[in-house]
Amino acid sequence: EDKVVQSPLSLVVHEGDTVTLNCSYEVTNFRSLLWYKQEKKAPTFLFMLTSSGIEKKSGRLSSILDKKELFSILNITATQTGDSAIYLCAVERSGGGADGLTFGKGTHLIIQP
Amino acid sequence: DAGVIQSPRHEVTEMGQEVTLRCKPISGHDYLFWYRQTMMRGLELLIYFNNNVPIDDSGMPEDRFSAKMPNASFSTLKIQPSEPRDSAVYFCASSWTANTGELFFGEGSRLTVL
């Protein structure tokens, strides 16, 4: 059974701090790892990672994948209160017939002003 | 495009009642997914469709749950009879293909079963 474990489960920091969120996984026939941000409503897509060592970056957010050690990190620099959300990590398997995504339970990030 | 549209946004019902959740995927998306989110278990895939055909329903908890997709623009998830442990947020998501990984989620239906 595919498994995605995120840590920490919750994190409270002050505005301006840098945070690192972790995601480890076990999946048969790994295809990609994805990060989503969930504020009060629907999860929204952040990054998709398929190759080890290649950093994906979007503004203050960046992410990298290590396929040997089976983990990914999501970094947020100079955090703002608007970054407060649940960050979800998900893995996708390859091979005929998709199974959708297997999600971790998320990291609940709270940015205090 | 308006995105994935779900209804109702909130539903409060009593144990034993039938619940029907509705979803309109993004036009042109061939895949539709139903997920359930709880604090304890996170986001869990219940079932997904490709071109209106159910492909994998192994995540459906039990026979009380059923899902249909009569056409490309509409899907329902039905719980009959509902139980308090079914209380959760139910998300519908769609994508062009299941292999891109990027899903577009609706805003969810929050179900409370008393």
Side-chain angles (χ1 to χ4, degrees):
Chain A
E1 184 179 322
D2 298 344
K3 191 175 176 183
V4 178
V5 178
Q6 292 187 245
S7 63
L9 290 180
S10 64
L11 183 60
V12 181
V13 300
H14 287 101
E15 209 168 14
D17 289 349
T18 293
V19 298
T20 298
L21 310 182
N22 303 293
C23 176
S24 63
Y25 63 90
E26 295 174 22
V27 62
T28 305
N29 298 324
F30 174 87
R31 179 184 179 91
S32 65
L33 183 144
L34 299 97
W35 286 95
Y36 284 78
K37 177 182 181 182
Q38 185 177 19
E39 296 176 83
K40 292 184 179 178
K41 299 174 182 176
T44 55
F45 173 79
L46 292 175
F47 297 113
M48 182 167 71
L49 302 155
T50 56
S51 302
S52 278
I54 298 175
E55 185 183 56
K56 289 281 184 87
K57 197 169 173 66
S58 175
R60 295 176 294 101
L61 277 67
S62 64
S63 184
I64 198 161
L65 174 67
D66 186 328
K67 291 168 73 173
K68 182 179 177 185
E69 300 297 330
L70 307 182
F71 79 90
S72 174
I73 60 172
L74 175 67
N75 280 320
I76 309 174
T77 59
T79 52
Q80 302 171 357
T81 54
D83 296 326
S84 296
I86 298 172
Y87 289 84
L88 297 166
C89 174
V91 293
E92 178 187 27
R93 60 166 62 182
S94 64
D99 297 319
L101 301 176
T102 300
F103 283 85
K105 292 185 180 179
T107 293
H108 190 182
L109 177 63
I110 297 172
I111 310 298
Q112 292 183 334
Chain B
D1 200 316
V4 176
I5 299 172
Q6 291 187 245
S7 65
R9 293 291 307 281
H10 302 275
E11 174 99 5
V12 180
T13 191
E14 293 189 343
M15 184 173 63
Q17 296 298 305
E18 179 178 294
V19 173
T20 299
L21 309 178
R22 298 172 179 80
C23 175
K24 181 180 186 306
I26 293 172
S27 177
H29 282 190
D30 294 329
Y31 285 83
L32 183 140
F33 302 81
W34 282 100
Y35 281 87
R36 176 172 68 176
Q37 187 176 40
T38 61
M39 289 289 289
M40 289 296 293
R41 301 175 68 90
L43 262 172
E44 301 173 283
L45 177 65
L46 300 177
I47 185 171
Y48 78 94
F49 295 83
N50 178 22
N51 291 323
N52 314 338
V53 176
I55 303 300
D56 184 355
D57 66 354
S58 59
M60 297 284 261
E62 49 197 272
D63 292 345
R64 298 184 297 106
F65 285 68
S66 63
K68 294 182 181 179
M69 192 166 185
N71 57 61
S73 58
F74 183 66
S75 176
T76 59
L77 178 67
K78 186 174 291 187
I79 309 171
Q80 166 64 16
S82 58
E83 296 183 3
R85 60 191 168 125
D86 302 330
S87 298
V89 180
Y90 290 82
F91 285 102
C92 176
S94 68
S95 72
W96 289 283
T97 162
N99 286 326
T100 64
E102 182 179 352
L103 300 181
F104 294 83
F105 284 84
E107 295 192 341
S109 294
R110 181 177 292 276
L111 173 64
T112 302
V113 183
L114 303 174

